[in-house]
Each structure stands twice: as structure tokens, then as C-alpha cells.
Amino acid sequence: MNQDPRITAYAVGELEARERESFETELAASDSLHHEVESMSGLAKQLASAAKPTDRFTAGERVRLLAKCAAIRRARTVAKTSLKVVLWTTLGVAACLTIFAGLIVGMMVFPSSSPQSAPAEVAIGSTWIADSSDQIASPRRGSDIELAPAEPQARRAGVISDVAAAISATPAASASVRTYKVQPGDTLGSIARRFYKNSGQWQKIVEANKGALSDPTKLKQGTVLIIPE
Amino acid sequence: MTPEQIITEALDNYESLLISYAREITGELESAKDAVQETFLRLSSQNLKVLHPRLRPWLFVVCRNCALDHVRKIIKFSADPVEDHERASDDPAPDERAMVSEEGRRIWDLVAGLPLQQREIVKLKFEAGLSYKEMAETLKTSVSTIGVQLHEAMQTLRARWKCETTEAA
């Protein structure tokens, strides 16, 4: 008897393509091998062609089995759904906690980012410009004087002076001051009459010019007097 | 295909084959049916869409495990466990098999005289139609071992068949 397992494997169609080609070459060259294969193929066909077994579940057993299977499937679906709900709830809570923690960390790391302290963030080179519509001052970067951190010191200094000039140009400082240069023959009464239409208002002029008038009764020609409103 | 359809179809296609295979291991019909029932209950708890492509070898693997569990239980509770197991496995009850011919019945009678491992292989190959690879997966062995054992079983069957036909003549 030939002990080569390829004989049975060939008879039942289990050899792979390359192995089958190689075996068929041997088969063509050997009568005894050919006889072995024919004999084994005949036996395999007899075994395979025999009727299949007929043992089955009874109708009742089959119904009960399918019902049990369906119950297991339902339980599995419920468990799966519950798991999904728990998973999504956990993920949702985790996401909320992460966002909340992020906000807290953000407030701790960037405390100046709150709206109340916004002016503190205005960099050197920025200009405060009054909003004409609602009178609320808002920061606006002047593009011509905006500074990058690496810009030269000289330009930085120039910008600072711009800011100082802007600060000095407040409404109070820029209000016009009325003055009058004393002419020959002027008296405090005649000057008061000229500006206030009332010579009795001369004391206002004296009050405003205490430093310049050592003696109110003696006006010097050419003295510049401040005439208050 | 829904999971319920997969289970019903598997029951239609493999019920008899699995019972026959389990009976080869347990030696009697009722415990073989129990093993097959347990197989389908386990199938119900699986992800069937993933399992479906390799359903056939999976069914035979699980059925075999369930049948072997049954045999182990018999051994555990038997007064003479080894003899009982040997009787169950090596002297299986005759199949309720509707053979196409007398010749076919006689050949399968000869199969019943093979050792358990060879009987399993012959049944898996010619009854259930499993490939060498699927049989290797079911029996937890290599494809080459399956090839060698099936060839040995076939040689034994052929020799016994030759003797039987010569005696009959």
C-alpha cells in the first residue's frame, strides 16, 4: 500500500494547484500510482454518495430551541443597547467636564482676558479713539504706529511721544484762554466794561491775575491779563 | 440576512450533520441532541455578522467541544468511567441512515470500526463536506495531520472492504 497522503488528498480534491500539477506529472508516469488513485477515488465517491444522516430534532424540540435562541438574541440586544447608552452618557459627561476644566484653566492662565480689563491689553502704539455714536471708548490699533516686538527702540520712543501728545490734547487743556494786553489809558473798570458790559466785574479780572497784578490800581501798559469767562 | 435568519438557516443545513457528528463522540442520540442544542444556544450569543463567513467550521468546533463535555460528565459520574467512555466512543450506536444502496450501508458500517479520531475525520469529510483546513480547525490540529490520518483511514477502509467483498464472493 502506498503511504503517500497526496493520493487521498488528490482523490478528494484537496491538493493545491501547484501540488496537483506536480502530482499529475508523477501520476502519468506510474501505473501503480494511477491504480491507487482510481481505487481511492472510487471509495471516496461511495462514502460521499451514501445518504446523509436523518436524525433531527422533533418539531417541539426545534420550536423550543429557536425560542431559546430568540430570547438570547433579545437579551444580547438589550445588553448592547444599555452598554451604548452608558458609553454615550459617560462620553457626554467626560466632554462636559473637559470643557469646564478647560474654561477654568483658561481663566487661570489668561486672567486679563476678561472684558473689564481690556484696556490693560492695549499695547504701546495703540490709540484710544472715542466712538462718536455711543461715546464708549474702544481700542483700535493705529496701523501706522502698530509695533512688532522686534521693532527698533527709536521708533518705539516716537510712538510713546505720540501717545503723550494724544493724552495732553484733552478737552480741558485745549480750551481757548481769553487774554488782553493793557493799552494806555485802560483801567480795570474800563476793561471789565469792554468784556462784561459791566465795570463792576473788575474783581473777576483781579482774581484771575493775582500773580501779575501786584497793585490793582496801577496797571502797566503792555501787561497781558487773563480775562475769565 | 438577519441573525434570526442565519440561526434558522444553520439549523436547517447542519442539524442532522451535527447530531450525527456529536453522536459519533457521545455514542447516543439524546446526548448528541443536547450537544447540538448547546451549540445553537452559544451561536445565538455570538456576533453573527462577523461569524457568518466561517460558520460551518465554528459549528463543528463548538459541537465537538459540547459533545466532549458531555463525555467528560459521563466519565465524572460513572462508576467505571474509562470503560463507559470507551463504550460510548468506540462502539457507537448504528446511525439511522437511509443509505442509497446496500453497498453504501456496508461501507459506513466499516467506518464505525475505525478509531474515534479517524471516524471523526471521515464523517467531517464525507458527511459534512468540510475541507482539510476546516477539519484542522475543528479538531485543533494541522492540515498535514488531517491529510495523513484521512489517508490512513481510507487505506484501512479499502483493505477491509476488499476482504469483505472477497469473502462475500
Side-chain angles (χ1 to χ4, degrees), chain A residues 78-95:
Chain A
V78 168
K80 212 172 168 183
T81 308
S82 304
L83 189 67
K84 271 185 186 174
V85 168
V86 169
L87 186 68
W88 281 110
T89 307
T90 308
L91 282 174
V93 169

Side-chain angles (χ1 to χ4, degrees), chain B residues 35-36 38-39 42 61-71:
Chain B
V36 176
E38 179 60 28
T39 303
R42 290 190 193 179
V61 169
V62 176
C63 182
R64 183 173 192 267
N65 291 338
C66 292
L68 288 172
D69 284 347
H70 180 84
V71 171

Side-chain angles (χ1 to χ4, degrees), chain A residues 11 36-49, chain B residues 107 154:
Chain A
E36 283 278 321
V37 168
E38 272 198 342
S39 164
M40 207 58 88
S41 296
L43 183 60
K45 275 180 191 167
Q46 279 182 307
L47 283 165
S49 63
Chain B
I107 286 179
M154 294 290 277

Side-chain angles (χ1 to χ4, degrees), chain B residues 95-108:
Chain B
D95 277 348
E96 294 295 326
R97 193 183 295 273
M99 295 293 177
V100 287
S101 65
E102 174 64 17
E103 206 172 58
R105 188 191 64 76
R106 282 165 56 200
I107 286 179
W108 277 99

Side-chain angles (χ1 to χ4, degrees), chain A residues 2 4 8 14 36 39-40 46-47 50-57 61-62 68-69 73 76, chain B residues 12 15-16 23 33 37 44-46 96 98 103 107-108 125-127 131-132 151 154-155 158:
Chain A
N2 197 320
D4 189 350
T8 300
E14 281 284 347
E36 283 278 321
S39 164
M40 207 58 88
Q46 279 182 307
L47 283 165
K52 300 297 179 189
T54 55
D55 285 328
R56 302 185 81 89
F57 290 116
E61 287 171 340
R62 186 184 163 90
K68 282 181 186 175
C69 290
R73 292 302 302 177
R76 189 178 186 274
Chain B
D12 290 341
E15 175 188 2
S16 296
R23 191 176 179 180
K33 280 185 173 180
Q37 181 166 314
S44 303
S45 62
Q46 299 296 312
E96 294 295 326
E103 206 172 58
I107 286 179
W108 277 99
K125 182 68 212 169
F126 297 107
E127 238 181 38
S131 66
Y132 277 18
H151 184 62
M154 294 290 277
Q155 283 186 314
R158 190 175 58 180

